[in-house]
Amino acid sequence: MGTLRGEQIIAQCFKREGVDTIFFMMGGPTGGTAGACIELGMKGIYVRHEQAAAMMAHAYARVTGKPGICIAPMGPGVANLVTGLGNAWADATPVIAIGGAAPMRGTTLDTFQEMDQIPMMRPIVKAAYRVDLGYRIPEYISIAFREALDGKRGPVYLDLPGDVLSGKVEEERIHWVEGNSRTDARPAGDPALIRKAIDLLAKAKKPLVLTGSGVLWSRAENELQKFVEATGIPFFTTPQGRGVIAEDHQRSFPAARSTAFREADVVLLIGARANSMLSFMRAPRFSPDAKLINVNLDGKEIGHNRAANVGIIGDAKLVLGQLIAEAAGRFDPKAESDWVAQLAVKHRSNMERSAPLLHSDKVPIHPLRLCNEVKDVISRDTILVVDGHEILNFARQSIPIYQARCSLNAGPHGCMGVGIPFGIGAKVARPDLPVVVLSGDGAFGWNGMEMDTAIRHHLPIVVVVSNNGGFTSRQTGGAVGRDLGFQRYDKMVEAFGGYGEFVEQPDAIRPAIERAIKSGKTALVNVCTDPDAQATTDMGFAGY
């Protein structure tokens, strides 16, 4: 039998796991690993910054449901992964990160770029391991995939010393992991607790369903819609969980979100965490008297920040199926209850209140006018990525999402700079779907050079920049360090070989975006927006 280098073993393991794409930065000692993966037929997307590679892997995972793969060179390269992996950890997204490391034979010698990388990674990943023996690489890869996909998902980091990667291993010594090393089994909820949950909901005067990205990971969007339609209960999602049911559904009242949260007497929370995105499920955002039914795959999330009246450990898809069965004959889903009518009136009134800004002809352009134009030009299956501060909030308030896995944003950490990398990761994951990135100009600056990556790899994402000349509204962040100037980001993209347009008039927005889409190129439409327009969560547009 022959020999394989450690980097070749990694590539073989990835192929066995069904990996089809890697996101990487060239450099030592992991350049050979990326090359070995590409030789086996995997697509290699090489980036301008390692942070972007981790973010692309994150988006790829969110869209496909499979772990995203990123590879970085040692030392500063691995350090550059931290922001992306920390954001994936906060977003409970499976990413497998391979980081190069100084050779083991040089440990403690202060060799080139020698860093103790494992302690740096441990707080921001589910697990971190240093691979010390080449013949055990398959075991570590198998562990990484299991850890990333088990229960609440998350990133896993593998530290690969250069001499382990380049070292030759006799094939007969390699511990290949044969067969399927993981199970697809899903835990169902306790039947007694399912009955209690339905009893609470059936007696409620003002019930609501609130879901998070756990419903997306379990691919339970069909079950969720069946449950809503079987019970007639209004539903809402966290920003990360949008699209599980089309937001123009008859039981969707996004502009009445604050009212619904404040007045609900029973909340069914599925696949979401009681974190800052939901104001910890506490008053005054939610009524202190409301009863909570908490469904989560991770038992640690049940009772976290707010006690649950009914806590169900289980997979969202199976638990929803159980709830549907138990709800049979207990609800009149077509009845227009006082609660439904109240939310419908509030939703309509808040939408009417926002209408003048959505159609404003003011110059500089109001960001809500920009959002409205984006809403009208994109298709229902467009993957929309939103990145920034003001524009992120304005977009949440005004652009509905219609399909699962078609919404990506800065996430629970509010991580700026994800826009372009997320757009690239999404486009690689679903080349058949249009991808539009709506980004603030400040957020664009973090990873704007990745437009070059998109152009090099012929990925026709369309980026729309809300350019208010700074990191925030003048009313939000004050003056210190805020101003960036109304830079010509469109010219930058044109110089790389992409398509660019500059827009200053409201009626020019839609034609410019349409031309960008029709160009078939990586494109950027640079729209000058009002530097004084400030987004808040209580303006009544949709209340995110």
Side-chain angles (χ1 to χ4, degrees):
M1 299 181 72
T3 61
L4 291 173
R5 298 186 306 278
E7 56 202 18
Q8 292 175 308
I9 299 172
I10 292 174
Q12 292 278 7
C13 293
F14 281 167
K15 188 173 182 65
R16 291 176 181 221
E17 291 284 358
V19 172
D20 55 27
T21 304
I22 59 169
F23 303 93
F24 73 99
M25 169 67 82
M26 68 169 294
T30 51
T33 305
C37 291
I38 293 169
E39 286 177 6
L40 291 182
M42 291 168 230
K43 181 179 293 184
I45 305 296
Y46 62 99
V47 300
R48 300 297 294 256
H49 193 286
E50 293 88 352
Q51 178 190 102
M55 291 175 173
M56 291 174 195
H58 180 165
Y60 176 93
R62 288 277 305 190
V63 173
T64 64
K66 304 190 300 182
I69 309 295
C70 59
I71 302 174
M74 63 188 180
V78 169
N80 284 342
L81 290 176
V82 168
T83 299
L85 293 181
N87 197 45
W89 172 79
D91 197 27
T93 298
V95 173
I96 309 294
I98 301 292
M104 293 184 66
R105 63 177 177 269
T107 300
T108 75
L109 296 180
D110 196 17
T111 55
F112 181 63
Q113 294 183 335
E114 181 181 358
M115 289 173 57
D116 193 2
Q117 297 169 171
I118 292 289
M120 180 172 62
M121 288 294 179
R122 279 200 176 115
I124 55 156
V125 295
K126 284 187 72 178
Y129 300 102
R130 183 176 177 88
V131 182
D132 51 0
L133 296 168
Y135 65 83
R136 293 197 63 205
I137 287 174
E139 297 173 74
Y140 281 103
I141 297 289
S142 178
I143 290 169
F145 273 82
R146 287 203 304 276
E147 295 251 21
L149 293 169
D150 177 58
K152 185 171 75 174
R153 290 160 171 79
V156 176
Y157 173 73
L158 296 180
D159 206 51
L160 272 299
D163 43 6
V164 175
L165 286 170
S166 62
K168 293 182 179 180
V169 181
E170 294 177 2
E171 289 189 66
E172 61 185 13
R173 294 192 65 201
I174 299 172
H175 290 179
W176 297 109
V177 178
E178 302 296 341
N180 189 351
S181 63
R182 298 188 302 278
T183 177
D184 293 327
R186 302 166 182 258
D190 183 325
L193 296 178
I194 296 293
R195 289 192 292 272
K196 286 184 179 180
I198 291 299
D199 285 343
L200 279 178
L201 290 168
K203 294 173 184 175
K205 300 294 185 183
K206 297 182 175 183
L208 67 82
V209 178
L210 178 54
T211 68
S213 56
V215 174
L216 292 169
W217 289 115
S218 69
R219 297 193 173 261
E221 54 265 27
N222 291 336
E223 286 76 11
L224 177 62
Q225 182 156 340
K226 288 177 182 177
F227 178 76
V228 168
E229 292 176 352
T231 61
I233 299 175
F235 77 91
F236 296 83
T237 75
T238 64
Q240 293 303 93
R242 297 181 67 186
V244 283
I245 301 177
E247 292 176 355
D248 57 357
H249 188 278
Q250 60 183 357
R251 286 295 184 266
S252 176
F253 308 105
R257 185 182 184 88
S258 294
T259 297
F261 285 9
R262 187 174 57 251
E263 296 190 19
D265 58 1
V266 177
V267 179
L268 172 58
L269 181 69
I270 306 179
R273 290 169 283 174
N275 59 13
S276 60
M277 305 300 285
L278 292 176
S279 302
F280 314 110
M281 298 295 294
R282 296 174 179 173
R285 183 70 159 158
F286 290 84
S287 168
D289 298 322
K291 292 180 170 58
L292 176 63
I293 303 164
N294 197 338
V295 179
N296 205 294
L297 195 60
D298 184 358
K300 296 191 297 296
E301 297 297 338
I302 294 176
H304 180 57
N305 289 328
R306 178 164 181 155
N309 298 86
V310 179
I312 301 173
I313 298 176
D315 173 78
K317 190 180 184 74
L318 287 185
V319 171
L320 280 164
Q322 293 174 288
L323 291 171
I324 292 167
E326 187 65 29
R330 301 286 301 276
F331 298 83
D332 181 359
K334 295 183 180 180
E336 293 295 324
S337 67
D338 292 342
W339 175 233
V340 169
Q342 177 189 351
L343 294 180
V345 168
K346 185 66 174 177
H347 174 79
R348 284 194 300 271
S349 67
N350 282 347
M351 292 301 292
E352 289 168 1
R353 185 153 61 96
S354 70
L357 290 178
L358 290 168
H359 301 282
S360 171
D361 289 328
K362 179 183 175 183
V363 177
I365 297 164
H366 195 283
L368 276 174
R369 173 64 188 268
L370 171 58
C371 290
N372 197 48
E373 296 294 327
V374 171
K375 173 182 71 69
D376 288 345
V377 78
I378 62 177
S379 60
R380 291 176 73 93
D381 63 353
T382 294
I383 298 176
L384 179 66
V385 181
V386 186
D387 183 18
H389 180 72
E390 308 298 344
I391 196 63
L392 177 73
N393 286 303
F394 280 126
R396 284 177 181 171
Q397 297 162 2
S398 58
I399 305 178
I401 303 297
Y402 300 107
Q403 294 188 20
R405 288 165 287 279
C406 283
S407 175
L408 298 170
N409 60 57
H413 269 184
C415 184
M416 298 295 94
V418 299
I420 310 307
F422 272 17
I424 291 172
K427 190 64 178 179
V428 172
R430 290 297 305 269
D432 56 316
L433 294 183
V435 174
V436 171
V437 178
L438 179 57
S439 176
D441 53 324
F444 176 80
W446 264 282
N447 285 302
M449 280 299 294
E450 299 304 331
M451 292 296 286
D452 170 64
T453 301
I455 291 166
R456 280 186 284 105
H457 291 285
H458 306 289
L459 299 169
I461 64 173
V462 174
V463 178
V464 180
V465 174
S466 176
N467 188 346
N468 68 355
F471 283 107
T472 63
S473 162
R474 288 173 182 163
Q475 309 305 314
T476 302
V480 179
R482 181 259 170 206
D483 291 338
L484 295 170
F486 290 87
Q487 304 299 337
R488 293 297 301 271
Y489 305 109
D490 52 302
K491 294 293 187 184
M492 166 185 153
V493 172
E494 284 181 344
F496 289 154
Y499 182 89
E501 284 208 38
F502 185 64
V503 175
E504 295 180 284
Q505 298 297 321
D507 59 3
I509 299 171
R510 179 165 183 166
I513 297 174
E514 289 175 337
R515 287 190 293 269
I517 294 170
K518 290 177 182 177
S519 75
K521 294 182 177 182
T522 304
L524 185 143
V525 178
N526 189 6
V527 182
C528 287
T529 53
D530 185 355
D532 291 313
Q534 180 185 22
T536 65
T537 57
D538 59 357
M539 293 175 70
F541 303 114
Y544 280 105

